[in-house]
Amino acid sequence: MTILDELEWRGAINQQTDEEGLKSLTEEKSIALYCGIDPSGDSMHVGHLIPFMILKRFQLAGHKPVILIGGGTGSIGDPSGRNSERVLQTMDKIMDNADKLSAQMRKLFKAGSEESGIKLVNNYDWLSGLSFLDFLRDFGKEFNINTMLAKDVVSSRLDTGISFTEFSYQIIQSVDFLHLFQNEGVQLQIGGSDQWGNITAGLDLIRKKEGAEAKAFGLTIPLLLKADGTKFGKSADGAIWLDPDKTTPYEFYQFWFNQDDRDVVKYLKYFTFLTKDEIDELAEQVETEPHKRAAQKALAEEMTRFVHGKEALDEAISISQALFSGDIQDLTADQIATTFKDVPSSEAAKGEHNLVELLVDITGIEPSRRQAREDIKNGAIRLKGSQIQDVDYVVSEKDSYDNRFIIVRKGKKKYFLINLV
């Protein structure tokens, strides 16, 4: 398959400005292309990955991607997909966010290194030197207000209002495309479906400045929705971040592993570099042996390895297997802190405690002493993975994790975290 054939098979193409022209160009030569991200936060989440995975596919097909960090555009604020004005961040915060996003791009894609073939640029480098008068004379003159008002990104905001700052965003992003066309030979911009208006504005500017024969193209990716119609990329606790301090590798692994059978093949196509044959085989297993969750396991492993590395993947698998089997005694205190942070928790003093008193009086895990004794005798209570059936059992440091936590398992699936203080 050609690169565009592959993207079509993966369901990763929404709109193209000139399908035949781009197909001919990419088959004729190696092209430069770009995608950008504004530093509105200090980490990407999984939704941000989609267009950059497409850049990587182009790179693997012999093309020359450019990743743009929007230090300049990020100081303005993209109105796309919003029904209200953004709150402007300080320039210090924007620069700090830009540095962190750049570090993520270097880690994930080796962006900026010669070996990767992927360039890393920041549009603050050229936008910050542009004077207000030059902006109006050299670029503002090329944009028709009526055309700008007709763009969805602007027209959708006319009822609620849009500032001149955000109104001008499409001009500034167009300047980026022109700059990269002139200085890096970039002929293709990739973005989410909400970027269509900004991308086509950039193409218009290139043709006005470089002539109607200038070969430049735009391609957008579909909005990724889950089978239930909700937006992809969030769990019950919020966004799934690439920063391990925001979303741990174990949580990251579990996010992918828990995907619906109706979605998993689509995500394998979007996010992994598995071949068509490999994905077709996994798709067949979803149909014939869904209980084995082979596709979800492959997705979780591929994504966790790609984002966090093999060591983090191995640890995530180890934690998952321990929880599934109930053999949690070998987990470390740090792993306990990560894995059980969302289960019901309470506090107890360090030292020795009668098990019944600990379950009832100190933590409230059990509603009464009678119920506690009954559950203990029936083998429903486990400490550090071990079944306890002695109602006079004394809980001590040996039942803890590094004298920081005690994990009580009640029945098959109910876990409780006791913080030792």
Side-chain angles (χ1 to χ4, degrees), residues 215-274:
K215 287 188 176 181
F217 305 86
L219 182 153
T220 64
I221 56 179
L223 177 65
L224 190 55
L225 298 175
K226 295 189 287 188
D228 62 9
T230 59
K231 194 173 180 180
F232 165 81
K234 291 189 176 182
S235 70
D237 298 321
I240 303 300
W241 301 99
L242 306 192
D243 183 341
D245 292 331
K246 291 176 175 286
T247 299
T248 67
Y250 166 73
E251 293 171 312
F252 191 82
Y253 178 91
Q254 286 296 315
F255 168 77
W256 297 105
F257 186 78
N258 289 319
Q259 292 304 319
D260 193 302
D261 286 345
R262 296 171 296 173
D263 292 319
V264 65
V265 174
K266 176 170 62 179
Y267 297 162
L268 284 166
K269 290 178 178 180
Y270 260 83
F271 290 101
T272 76
F273 296 98
L274 296 177

Side-chain angles (χ1 to χ4, degrees), residues 333-371:
D334 287 341
Q335 289 172 336
I336 291 293
T338 294
T339 309
F340 292 94
K341 66 180 184 178
D342 294 322
V343 305
S345 63
S346 54
E347 291 185 350
K350 293 180 180 180
E352 296 184 344
H353 300 280
N354 172 269
L355 178 56
V356 173
E357 291 179 359
L358 181 69
L359 294 176
V360 180
D361 302 331
I362 299 175
T363 64
I365 291 172
E366 291 282 17
S368 68
R369 287 171 177 261
R370 182 194 61 78
Q371 185 66 54

Side-chain angles (χ1 to χ4, degrees), residues 15 21 42 47 127 166 210 224 232 250 283 290 303 321 333 386 398:
Q15 293 168 291
D42 58 7
L127 293 177
E166 291 196 1
E210 299 294 316
L224 190 55
F232 165 81
Y250 166 73
M303 290 309 300
Q321 290 174 341
S386 298
K398 72 179 184 302

